[in-house]
Amino acid sequence: MLLNLIRHSVDDDMKNNNLIQKRTKPSTGLKLLSSMLMGFCSVLLSASSFASDSGEYSALSRASNTKEQGDEISKTSINTAPNAAILLYHHVSSSTPASTSISPEAFKSHMEYLHAHHTVVSLQDVVSAIQHNKTLPEKAVAITFDDGYANILHNAHPILADLGFPYTVFINPDEIGVGPKQLTWEQVTAMHNDGVVFANHTLDHLHMLNGEQAMGEPAWLEKVWENVESAEKKIEAKLNISLKYLAYPFGEYNTALANKLETEGYIGFGQHSGAVGPSSDMQALPRFPAAGPYANLATLKTKLNSLAMPVTHSSHENPRMTTRTLSSPISLTIDSKDVRLSQVNCFFGGNTISTSLEGNVLTFALNKTLPVGRSRVNCTAPSNKQAGRYYWYSVPFFVADESGNYPD
């Protein structure tokens, strides 16, 4: 039954993959701003909780008695190695594009579940713990938003502030106060003063891989890096903060860009899925999308409880593909001390794919044509010691169209 739950959860994570991009603890400040929002927020906070799909919720209830017992572990207990799930949201609204939105009521239900069963920590704490091999609270979760929409302030901030949850917003500085439905710099500054963290999402939400093949790698990299650095400088000038965190727009990156981030001391965040831990790529940290087709709390629970697959080597060096087929199988070397590799499963397009195992090396091949845009293979395997928890690893693929550009 647990395998069925994982299958539902991975299907939920993958079947609408190309839909996902159609385009420090808060203090007690922002009193004036909060008072302006009070009347509106009280309506939202009294709204009914989001109801998960009954079929998937029933499967979860039947399959996870052991897991729910695990949920009762004291939130102050500590892992011996850092592990966290990072959530990704865009809009918190009922009147914005469905593919990237979650209703305020559903968002509230997510946050209430986190408050009851997890420990929400800042994104900086997660990064620091991985970098310095520090411990994190059991079932740690970090909350992030992309694009800097005003509805984050109007609909999400009151809920997060009430629960004392830290969160990070990745913004496009040239869109702030300009783009439709964007925060203004006045609002960004007020939120920053209230403890909200803001970080880099490029100046203008470009497809960073567009034009790479036509321009040649050196010229292309110089152009996109100028965009990244300009965005970082504008955030620093406005807020006096420079974390050097970059969330790739649309989750798209390649090896050259990731290497540039490392050279320049940046941390990168993608949109492929999986928990983060000591073996994670610091220039491509995964995040679980939690809005749009991924907002179902029943399947999100499995992702929140996931563990970072300890992949020590991957033969898939570059997620940017120059063809729509894999030239050779992909092999993942896994530190298998706690990973039950005998029960590993990999999925593509919602379907299980064939794998082979030789020692601690997992290999899979794809006989299907990769779609233009974004796709990925997700692999999961149960933990030997932590009943009901699964290791999770995502292998992303980015394919340009015939003109060398990437679709929204």
Side-chain angles (χ1 to χ4, degrees):
M1 294 232 181
L2 279 172
L3 177 58
N4 288 334
L5 174 61
I6 286 291
R7 188 187 305 276
H8 283 305
S9 186
V10 174
D11 285 353
D12 180 53
D13 181 64
M14 293 183 64
K15 64 186 177 182
N16 293 308
N17 184 46
N18 278 335
L19 291 176
I20 195 59
Q21 279 287 4
K22 291 293 182 187
R23 226 258 350 154
T24 339
K25 182 174 180 178
S27 67
T28 57
L30 258 183
K31 292 182 179 178
L32 177 61
L33 192 56
S34 297
S35 65
M36 294 171 64
L37 295 170
M38 188 63 70
F40 182 63
C41 295
S42 63
V43 175
L44 294 179
L45 293 174
S46 63
S48 59
S49 295
F50 174 61
S52 298
D53 177 81
S54 58
E56 288 187 334
Y57 184 81
S58 298
L60 175 70
S61 300
R62 292 193 302 270
S64 59
N65 289 334
T66 303
K67 181 178 74 65
E68 291 301 329
Q69 292 173 8
D71 285 341
E72 297 174 4
I73 295 174
S74 169
K75 292 197 290 183
T76 60
S77 62
I78 299 295
N79 280 324
T80 56
N83 188 90
I86 304 174
L87 295 182
L88 165 61
Y89 297 94
H90 288 82
H91 289 285
V92 182
S93 173
S94 299
S95 59
T96 46
S99 61
T100 53
S101 299
I102 183 171
S103 71
E105 296 82 7
F107 182 78
K108 183 171 183 283
S109 72
H110 283 197
M111 297 305 105
E112 289 175 339
Y113 180 82
L114 293 181
H115 186 260
H117 300 287
H118 293 266
T119 300
V120 175
V121 298
S122 71
L123 192 61
Q124 299 100 303
D125 284 347
V126 171
V127 170
S128 178
I130 296 172
Q131 287 177 320
H132 304 293
N133 199 28
K134 297 178 179 178
T135 55
L136 283 169
E138 181 73 14
K139 298 185 179 180
V141 176
I143 299 168
T144 69
F145 297 84
D146 281 4
D147 300 346
Y149 294 113
N151 54 57
I152 299 170
L153 171 62
H154 298 153
N155 299 336
H157 182 78
I159 298 170
L160 293 160
D162 183 60
L163 293 170
F165 285 173
Y167 66 98
T168 298
V169 184
F170 290 96
I171 58 172
N172 312 108
D174 280 4
E175 297 293 314
I176 296 299
V178 177
K181 302 181 180 179
Q182 286 277 313
L183 292 162
T184 66
W185 277 115
E186 182 179 11
Q187 291 171 326
V188 168
T189 301
M191 294 170 72
H192 169 70
N193 291 338
D194 201 38
V196 180
V197 174
F198 289 88
N200 195 335
H201 199 38
T202 73
L203 278 176
D204 46 5
H205 206 277
L206 77 163
H207 282 278
M208 298 188 80
L209 299 183
N210 277 1
E212 176 205 5
Q213 297 176 50
M215 296 174 65
E217 186 177 284
W220 161 81
L221 187 58
E222 181 180 357
K223 179 181 178 181
V224 297
W225 193 251
E226 181 180 349
N227 185 299
V228 171
E229 287 280 72
S230 296
E232 191 72 18
K233 289 175 182 177
K234 287 192 175 185
I235 293 171
E236 184 174 15
K238 290 286 188 178
L239 304 177
N240 195 30
I241 184 174
S242 176
L243 289 177
K244 290 191 172 183
Y245 290 180
L246 174 69
Y248 301 116
F250 306 95
E252 298 163 353
Y253 68 98
N254 63 8
T255 301
L257 183 55
N259 289 342
K260 182 65 174 177
L261 261 67
E262 183 176 19
T263 299
E264 300 293 338
Y266 278 71
I267 305 298
F269 298 87
Q271 293 186 16
H272 54 294
S273 55
V276 297
S279 60
S280 296
D281 182 350
M282 298 304 290
Q283 280 65 54
L285 292 173
R287 295 182 292 168
F288 283 112
Y294 314 108
N296 186 332
L297 183 55
T299 51
L300 185 62
K301 290 176 182 179
T302 302
K303 300 171 188 178
L304 290 167
N305 283 314
S306 66
L307 300 164
M309 185 82 81
V311 174
T312 59
H313 179 264
S314 171
S315 65
H316 182 58
E317 296 181 353
N318 198 336
R320 189 266 297 126
M321 306 294 295
T322 55
T323 66
R324 295 183 62 182
T325 58
L326 293 182
S327 59
S328 60
I330 292 175
S331 295
L332 306 175
T333 304
I334 300 170
D335 181 350
S336 58
K337 292 185 181 69
D338 186 52
V339 184
R340 197 178 307 161
L341 290 177
S342 61
Q343 294 182 22
V344 70
N345 283 279
C346 294
F347 306 84
F348 179 77
N351 299 312
T352 306
I353 61 175
S354 297
T355 61
S356 62
L357 191 64
E358 184 174 346
N360 65 335
V361 178
L362 172 69
T363 300
F364 64 83
L366 283 179
N367 297 321
K368 297 181 179 180
T369 301
L370 294 169
V372 170
R374 299 165 293 279
S375 60
R376 56 184 175 256
V377 167
N378 286 338
C379 295
T380 65
S383 165
N384 287 318
K385 295 180 180 178
Q386 302 186 58
R389 300 189 72 178
Y390 279 75
Y391 288 91
W392 188 302
Y393 188 79
S394 181
V395 180
F397 309 102
F398 307 121
V399 178
D401 62 20
E402 292 182 356
S403 64
N405 294 322
Y406 292 77
D408 288 354

